[in-house]
């Protein structure tokens, strides 16, 4: 398997990366690792919340593109990563109980018979595609918006977005490119003035505060997989387990084969 | 709104068609009606089966592209057809109880507080697109295959397909065209020899038996929305309500806007 030329890429093979994470040899973010393979947001909920959450995902497909849902109690993906274990193969977990969040290195002791794991496509998977098409890798921000999601049961709340900025020409290219990947959030949901979607650049959820947008670049916004996690947190679910930002689950699915 | 030129098209507007069905003025199939609008398979199940069924759909997206799922107890689509009522706006219903099927003209008395309605994209919606691109409208068959679906809970069984036949050139065109519409079953799942997928042309589920394939045409197979209905029937669910073949639910969604 060809290794990416970026000096930041230490793993080209998802099986090797997951093994290194499982054994504690790699605890860094998965950004830039295994280019060309689909990275996923993890959400684990009790069975009692699973239908409403899957419905929330179905109603908000740009924010919550579902890659795989495990059977209740099953921590092993069948479709996206044979041999993996979602309880051990992510670098860092966030455990949310009725609105409070703590972090952990593993979740073996928290896994329950009624735990349902959802894997949701992450835009971490497409940054390498943008780069390959000539859109330089740059800062990614995560921002709240004032756009409501379509609610389902107890799950509701605003759309959360990622923001990248680029030239207008690159924005058009990025739109064409990401249109091919609805399971990785698809096309941008907005291009241009952040205030039109109620995004406040001075108060990002992730990334440095921005006071002005440089001349010659345009902010481009994609729906973000933080949206469903935030909705579940706001809903005060009994227990939700997710990954810590930037430490996604790396699957064996090739980005170029997604949905084919 | 422009009316289709086909002499078989009596309704161009879905609101008019649904109103005519609701008042009993139109009980014919919806094939050829409202060209350009998405037609859907209806499946209504008790809340207790809804998560597994939605999971089955998520795992078999080519056979079960989900257009909309209503909240438990809600017979009124919000996204796909404002003002419609799924209990009255289909021409004929099939009620399945533990494997037995009876037909009915309406389901007002069968609707329950825990009824969950699923609308699943129908390939009835894309035949007009094929026609507009020069693939003549012709017989459509429905066939069993020996290809297993990905099971979910009690739902499992073989993939059911539709078959159309056309020239090789038309098959390529049809593949390109349907690739744009993953919510209408997307690309064909097979082109060519029916025996490769275990489809028996002499025993179709729908359409006349075929003993030989005419020279110059190639059978083209699409995953079919009968698949989940068959899976639910085989699972012996307590109660499932669907539409009678050919009498689909006609939404206000434009085919050309689907997924955009």
């Amino acid at each position: 398997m060809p290794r990416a030329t970026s000096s930041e890429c230490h793993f080209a093979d998802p099986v090797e990366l997951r093994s290194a994470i499982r054994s504690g040899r790699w605890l860094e973010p998965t950004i830039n690792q295994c280019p060309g393979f689909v990275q996923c947001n993890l959400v684990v909920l009790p069975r009692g919340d699973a239908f409403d959450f899957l419905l929330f995902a179905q109603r908000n497909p740009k924010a919550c593109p579902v890659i795989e849902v495990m059977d209740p109690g099953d921590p092993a993906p069948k479709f996206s990563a044979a041999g993996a274990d979602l309880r051990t193969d992510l670098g860092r977990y966030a455990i949310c109980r009725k609105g409070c969040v703590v972090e952990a290195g593993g979740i073996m002791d928290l896994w329950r018979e009624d735990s349902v794991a959802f894997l949701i496509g992450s835009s971490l998977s497409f940054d390498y595609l943008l780069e390959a098409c000539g859109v330089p890798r740059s800062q990614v921000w995560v921002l709240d918006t004032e756009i409501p999601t379509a609610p389902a049961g107890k799950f509701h709340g605003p759309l959360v977005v990622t923001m990248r900025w680029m030239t207008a020409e690159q924005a058009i290219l990025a739109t064409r490119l990401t249109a091919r990947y609805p399971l990785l959030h698809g096309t941008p949901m907005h291009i241009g003035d952040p205030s039109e979607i109620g995004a406040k650049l001075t108060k990002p959820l992730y990334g440095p505060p921005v006071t002005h947008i440089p001349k010659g670049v345009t902010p481009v916004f994609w729906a973000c997989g933080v949206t469903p996690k935030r909705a579940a947190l706001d809903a005060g679910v009994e227990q939700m387990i997710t990954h810590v930002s930037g430490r996604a689950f790396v699957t064996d699915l090739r980005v170029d084969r997604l949905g084919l």
Side-chain angles (χ1 to χ4, degrees), chain A residues 19 46 89 117 134 140 188 203 212 214 226 231 234:
Chain A
S19 167
D89 293 0
V140 178
K203 292 180 182 172
H212 81 284
V226 170
D234 288 352

Side-chain angles (χ1 to χ4, degrees), chain A residues 96-169:
Chain A
C96 315
R97 289 208 180 102
K98 297 193 184 293
C100 298
V101 183
V102 293
E103 292 195 9
I107 53 165
M108 269 295 180
D109 52 328
L110 297 173
W111 192 263
R112 312 185 329 190
E113 273 186 19
D114 74 336
S115 291
V116 180
F118 298 80
L119 292 173
I120 292 165
S122 166
S123 65
L124 291 186
S125 324
F126 73 64
D127 278 312
Y128 97 97
L129 285 170
L130 293 176
E131 196 175 20
C133 287
V135 181
R137 223 173 249 269
S138 65
Q139 177 70 44
V140 178
W141 286 265
V142 178
L143 297 157
D144 261 334
T145 72
E146 288 169 1
I147 298 180
T149 55
K154 66 171 73 163
F155 301 104
H156 59 93
L159 184 70
V160 180
V161 295
T162 55
M163 177 182 82
R164 293 157 180 81
W165 58 39
M166 53 191 76
T167 67
E169 188 185 6

